[in-house]
Amino acid sequence: MSTADVAIVGTGPNGLAAGVVMARAGLRVELHEAAETIGGGLRTASLFDSGVVHDLCSAVHPMAAASPFFRGFDLAARGVELLQPEISYAHPLDGGRAALAHRSLAKTCEHLGVDGPAWRRLMEPLLERSEAVVDLVLSGQRRLPEDPAAALLLASRVALHGSGLGAARFRGEEAPALLTGVAAHAVGRLPSLASAAVAMLLGHLAHGSGWPLPRGGSGRIAQALADDITAHGGVFHTGHHVTDLAELHGARAVLLDTGTKGFLALAGGRLPRAYARRLERFRPGPGAAKVDFLVSGPIPWADPAVGRAGTVHLGGTHAEMVRQETANARGVRTARPFVLVVDPAVADPDRALPGKRPVWAYAHVPNGDPTDPYDLVRERIERYAPGFTDTVVAHRSVAAAAYEEYNPNYTGGDIGTGAMTLYQSIARPVPRLDPYRTPLPGVFLCSAATPPGPSVHGMSGYLAARSALRHCFGIRDVPALGPARGPAVTSPVPPETRDAAG
């Protein structure tokens, strides 16, 4: 029997965010993690050299800079420095060309030439209402928008660019490729309303709060959240795989940072059949296949300006990406998949040593694809950076089918914990007024399978914790999230985690 008021299963960003809220409310909180280290999609580790660390899942964090939860939590005050590259993202094209999304909107528009005015008309109004736009997209999506003008602004752009008409607003190749590369972060059919919403959100943030990388790696964000939890009495149990909700009997509230498949397994037949059927019908998205490289120097991009970007999209033209991502969403593997590349040392030079530099890369592939992605990814980079292969010192590749071993939430390599279709974006994981509260008394879902969906924003955990506070403890006032005055907590690993891990 659990002696905690609150038991949380899973310590990804949403489980940790929920833990912060619950612990700050004065409740006894215990977090259970099957892996030996906390973090879920926020883990950083040495893979090839003890002096060089690699981000095992997420690497770049526009949402950590923009989301309401992290704005309140204040990472900077906790010693987490979000480093901004000069160019938020780049999109190389054949012939040594590249489209560049500078932090500066003016520079971006200048670089886009004839399409600069259209890019400004698209992004500038979103920037002017950025906080309202972010808060709308990252809400629980069950209330009327607080800023109707921001909602109309976003809706008009999503409707246009979610259809085949959006790209027609541009005259050259660079601007539509630049925007479609961002839309591809939705990991699904292109174009679509869901991918257009992602493009509008992430696209305008590139010129606003940015696409930053945490100094020292993504694990620094997880550690800051964990430090706050332990500072407020929370306890971590790592290397502990909870297999049945009965193990948590006694806790007044249970929050699950798990996908729908994991929830069904934990519930073990306790769920009403109609609700369980809806969870069973919740579809996973396409897969991601990962390659971590150790290279001898900076990537030799054909356009040297690409080397100043924190994130690089490799997908070719707008038309190529539409074909690739749509085929991928249908389960058809392509020879030239969409690839995301991050060279962290562009923004964080301390991540590199002489002759040793980490490079992070994902390829979009069909869900459950068993193919080793090394050659696919290497060849995609080589196309736009001739000579890259010669710089590779070592690599580690993870097929989509194997990604579930790293994180059980990533079914078949689906790092979004559920396909980002329009319906599943709104009705995650089932159409309920409170999507976090389940039919089981005191049990709540807080993973990316709930609104607002994937990314490191903490909002699913935050909103689920608010629901649990209301329904289980009668607490309606959410505790302040900012750091308390006094010395920062800087333990490299929570003491309880060390004990549990042996």
Side-chain angles (χ1 to χ4, degrees):
M1 175 179 287
S2 175
T3 59
D5 297 313
V6 180
I8 298 174
V9 178
T11 62
N14 287 307
L16 292 172
V20 166
V21 174
M22 299 306 245
R24 280 177 167 261
L27 302 171
R28 294 170 298 166
V29 178
E30 293 188 355
L31 297 95
H32 303 267
E33 172 57 55
E36 296 296 336
T37 56
I38 65 166
L42 285 172
R43 293 190 183 116
T44 302
S46 298
L47 296 177
F48 312 107
D49 185 287
S50 60
V52 179
V53 296
H54 296 256
D55 293 312
L56 302 185
C57 188
S58 59
V60 181
H61 297 282
M63 291 297 96
S67 87
F69 171 78
F70 279 112
R71 291 201 306 264
F73 188 71
D74 195 353
L75 287 167
R78 301 166 187 277
V80 180
E81 188 177 358
L82 297 180
L83 302 172
Q84 298 282 1
E86 175 191 347
I87 297 172
S88 294
Y89 64 95
H91 194 108
L93 293 164
D94 288 336
R97 299 170 297 147
L100 307 172
H102 292 264
R103 285 292 305 287
S104 164
L105 179 60
K107 281 188 178 181
T108 304
C109 294
E110 180 182 354
H111 180 83
L112 290 175
V114 67
D115 284 325
W119 192 268
R120 181 180 293 278
R121 288 193 298 271
L122 178 65
M123 295 298 176
E124 194 166 53
L126 294 170
L127 284 167
E128 291 170 353
R129 292 185 175 272
S130 183
E131 188 169 311
V133 168
V134 170
D135 290 357
L136 172 64
V137 177
L138 297 188
S139 70
Q141 301 167 4
R142 297 296 190 275
R143 296 181 179 179
L144 292 174
E146 294 185 8
D147 186 336
L152 288 171
L153 182 71
L154 180 63
S156 64
R157 282 157 170 74
V158 168
L160 177 64
H161 290 275
S163 70
L165 300 175
R169 301 294 291 269
F170 301 114
R171 295 163 61 185
E173 278 193 341
E174 285 81 358
L178 196 63
L179 190 64
T180 306
V182 184
H185 281 247
V187 197
R189 181 179 62 82
L190 293 177
S192 70
L193 295 176
S195 67
V198 170
M200 295 306 108
L201 176 63
L202 295 180
H204 94 273
L205 289 177
H207 310 300
S209 52
W211 287 22
L213 291 81
R215 185 183 294 280
S218 297
R220 297 294 177 89
I221 297 176
Q223 193 59 59
L225 294 165
D227 285 343
D228 191 78
I229 293 168
T230 55
H232 289 86
V235 176
F236 285 80
H237 302 287
T238 58
H240 177 213
H241 184 196
V242 177
T243 59
D244 194 295
L245 289 175
E247 298 176 45
L248 308 175
H249 179 68
R252 293 172 64 186
V254 174
L255 285 86
L256 305 176
D257 188 4
T258 67
T260 55
K261 181 179 175 181
F263 180 29
L264 286 165
L266 286 166
R270 299 178 181 88
L271 289 167
R273 188 59 198 146
Y275 182 88
R277 279 198 299 267
R278 285 177 171 171
L279 292 184
E280 290 164 356
R281 289 197 295 265
F282 188 69
R283 293 193 297 108
K290 178 90 181 309
V291 183
D292 294 292
F293 296 94
L294 184 68
V295 299
S296 59
I299 299 173
W301 299 109
D303 183 341
V306 177
R308 306 201 307 273
T311 302
V312 181
H313 299 147
L314 306 181
T317 66
H318 162 77
E320 287 178 299
M321 286 181 282
V322 168
R323 287 195 299 271
Q324 291 159 4
E325 289 296 275
T326 300
N328 193 48
R330 292 171 177 165
V332 179
R333 184 170 173 269
T334 68
R336 294 180 173 179
F338 181 84
V339 170
L340 293 91
V341 179
V342 177
D343 180 351
V346 168
D348 188 0
D350 291 340
R351 293 279 296 272
L353 296 175
K356 298 175 182 178
R357 188 180 184 99
V359 169
W360 174 107
Y362 268 124
H364 290 175
V365 298
N367 188 278
D369 189 278
T371 308
D372 184 320
Y374 172 66
D375 285 330
L376 281 173
V377 171
R378 178 187 56 77
E379 289 169 4
R380 288 299 268 164
I381 300 175
E382 184 79 23
R383 177 177 176 178
Y384 302 102
F388 170 74
T389 301
D390 295 335
T391 72
V392 176
V393 176
H395 79 276
R396 183 200 73 149
S397 53
V398 181
Y403 234 106
E404 200 168 344
E405 297 174 17
Y406 164 75
N407 188 330
N409 288 2
Y410 299 164
T411 303
D414 169 23
I415 58 175
T417 319
M420 287 296 289
T421 62
L422 177 62
Y423 178 77
Q424 287 199 173
S425 297
I426 297 171
R428 293 178 79 85
V430 298
R432 289 170 67 92
L433 190 60
D434 184 342
Y436 314 99
R437 193 180 183 191
T438 78
L440 300 181
V443 178
F444 299 78
L445 270 177
C446 69
S447 70
T450 63
S455 196
V456 179
H457 44 61
M459 288 301 296
S460 298
Y462 172 75
L463 293 168
R466 288 185 59 174
S467 179
L469 286 176
R470 289 195 308 273
H471 290 104
C472 297
F473 303 97
I475 299 174
R476 293 190 173 273
D477 294 330
V478 179
L481 301 176
R485 295 182 181 274
V489 180
T490 57
S491 60
V493 181
E496 293 81 2
T497 299
R498 288 198 298 268
D499 294 342

